[in-house]
Amino acid sequence: MDAFIDDNRLKIVEKLGGIGLNTKAGTEAMVKFLEEYFGVQDNTNHRLGMENGKMTVEPNSVLNIDVVIDCAGIPMFVDEFMKHAKQKARFCCIALHKGELPIRFHEIMSTQCSIMGSRGYEPEDIKEVISNLAKKNTKIPEIITHKFPLEDAAEAFETATKPACAIKVVLDME
């Protein structure tokens, strides 16, 4: 697996009050962490599949998680959500995935879960952001890792393409 969240980004996530989860350890370690942190429901999901033309059934634990927000764009998050989703759980993707991801619709049907994307903002969202910025009720300075003057725009964009060294890159227009 080549996609992971590096230790620097994890420290910032935890500093902001989030739960840092590094995927370097692999899928089994991620699921174990989630089971220990959030707990497991008493029931079990049974993942249906096909192998050599025969129906297979794979039991999976059901994580006690209502909402997953994918900010990293790591394909295994979607797959593991589908394997371990509790009834009516929600998956919201605000990250960019670099390729197509398979979705098994029978798993959506059997868990009645929702998959949502986030492409833009509604007027209410923009008003809330402006209000929070005006009140300085944000942690924006903590996620800005780089700031460049306008004349260094090329370097700013180059830096922004390196997730291991940059979280948010600001291009100062003044």
Side-chain angles (χ1 to χ4, degrees):
M1 174 185 345
D2 61 354
F4 64 90
I5 301 171
D6 73 343
D7 293 334
N8 184 44
R9 293 174 76 89
L10 287 172
K11 288 177 188 170
I12 292 172
V13 166
E14 290 166 359
K15 184 177 179 184
L16 295 171
I19 301 165
L21 174 62
N22 197 330
T23 60
K24 280 191 263 188
T27 304
E28 288 180 27
M30 179 186 79
V31 172
K32 182 178 182 207
F33 169 82
L34 294 172
E35 288 174 347
E36 290 171 0
Y37 194 89
F38 292 103
V40 178
Q41 291 191 343
D42 291 336
N43 54 343
T44 301
N45 278 349
H46 288 86
R47 183 174 207 188
L48 302 176
M50 293 292 284
E51 190 174 308
N52 298 325
K54 295 183 179 179
M55 178 76 80
T56 61
V57 178
E58 176 186 337
N60 289 297
S61 59
V62 176
L63 296 171
N64 193 27
I65 300 174
D66 296 311
V67 179
V68 172
I69 301 173
D70 176 10
C71 304
I74 297 175
M76 77 178 207
F77 287 164
V78 179
D79 193 51
E80 292 305 314
F81 169 79
M82 296 307 303
K83 280 184 190 177
H84 301 279
K86 74 180 196 179
Q87 290 289 309
K88 300 186 180 181
R90 296 179 306 276
F91 183 92
C92 181
C93 182
I94 61 174
L96 293 175
H97 285 267
K98 295 180 181 174
E100 293 182 9
L101 297 176
I103 302 287
R104 290 169 294 282
F105 282 94
H106 65 276
E107 291 174 337
I108 294 172
M109 180 195 68
S110 66
T111 60
Q112 300 179 45
C113 66
S114 301
I115 298 178
M116 302 171 278
S118 177
R119 182 174 161 239
Y121 303 98
E122 298 294 322
E124 301 81 35
D125 299 325
I126 295 169
K127 289 176 186 173
E128 182 180 350
V129 168
I130 291 170
S131 173
N132 284 330
L133 288 171
K135 296 176 189 170
K136 298 188 189 265
N137 189 21
T138 69
K139 294 184 178 184
I140 289 176
E142 296 175 38
I143 63 172
I144 296 172
T145 56
H146 297 79
K147 191 173 183 179
F148 292 90
L150 183 57
E151 54 271 9
D152 293 339
E155 184 182 354
F157 284 104
E158 180 64 28
T159 302
T161 65
K162 300 174 184 167
C165 76
I167 293 181
K168 291 294 176 195
V169 176
V170 171
L171 193 57
D172 192 344
M173 306 294 277
E174 294 180 10

